[in-house]
Amino acid sequence: MTFMLTGAAYAQEARSAPPAVRPLRSLVDHYRTLTWTYERAAHVRRTPTSFADRRTGDRDYLRWSIDRWTRRADIARRAAVAKIQRRLSVHLPKAPRMRAQLFRRVVYTRRLAISLRRIYPGQVTRRFASATRDTGSETLRLWQRRSALAALAVSEHGLVHPAVPAWLNDAFLCIHHYEGPWGSNSGNGYYGGLQMDRAFQGLYGAEFLHRWGTADNWPAWAQIEAAVRAYESGRGFGPWPNTARACGLP
């Protein structure tokens, strides 16, 4: 994607004069809100605040507050992203350093927001993906807000799925051990950790197929859920005769 702002524009913005008190307060609010949103997504206690930044005109204190809340937002984001990756067995973009170049941070937050949106609600419009603002900093804040809200949406909706009986979950984990990696796509017409073909995916995991594409892109829980649906439809472990036998399953 080509951004409206060039590298020179980012550099020029970085050399601009220090902002006044009001913009500094706005930045504190921005990073505090990011922190709280990511903390909700990670299901951890919200960081308390006295809102002293709203009552002071001390620029040094406000800059200190911005730095503090920026660090808190970074920690909260990493915690939320780690939880989503662990729970859904998905890979999300790797974060740059907190003080990396502005352009790199914009690229990362955009990629993160889009990756999360592809998990829930499952679609990303061209208009959403191409959004920018007048300056690099404003564009960064736009995508920071979007990525935090997307993480919260995935946490509240994308992680919710029907409970699988423990013994069935263990059974399919054993079958997976013999079938292949969760991200397997060897070109043989079978996909994922339970080696499901497209017909199987469409029959037992149509919503997952629509959201993520073929099963090699599904989180592990979705692959198991589709397999459980097949089992409960009366097919039992029939679609996996050899590996089920290796696991001692009927």
Side-chain angles (χ1 to χ4, degrees), residues 133-216:
R133 291 295 182 263
D134 291 339
T135 69
S137 294
E138 290 172 352
T139 300
L140 174 64
R141 291 193 290 274
L142 167 69
W143 286 106
Q144 285 176 329
R145 288 191 296 270
R146 286 184 167 189
S147 60
L149 291 171
L152 180 59
V154 169
S155 177
E156 292 182 342
H157 302 284
L159 297 179
V160 177
H161 54 89
V164 172
W167 76 271
L168 261 183
N169 185 73
D170 291 343
F172 282 114
L173 286 177
C174 180
I175 289 174
H176 153 66
H177 176 75
Y178 291 102
E179 292 286 347
W182 294 114
S184 176
N185 180 1
S186 59
N188 63 355
Y190 293 87
Y191 302 83
L194 297 171
Q195 290 292 278
M196 298 179 283
D197 62 22
R198 285 181 176 270
F200 187 102
Q201 295 167 48
L203 186 59
Y204 301 109
E207 72 271 39
F208 308 140
L209 187 62
H210 174 74
R211 180 182 297 182
W212 293 302
T214 50
D216 52 306

Side-chain angles (χ1 to χ4, degrees), residues 2 5 32 38 63-64 72 94 123 126 128 135 140-141 150-151 184 191 212 223 227:
T2 301
L5 290 158
R32 179 165 47 217
Y38 276 123
R63 291 191 181 93
W64 175 82
R72 287 170 171 170
K94 183 178 179 180
Q123 293 181 329
R126 182 175 298 180
F128 180 91
T135 69
L140 174 64
R141 291 193 290 274
S184 176
Y191 302 83
W212 293 302
Q223 297 183 45

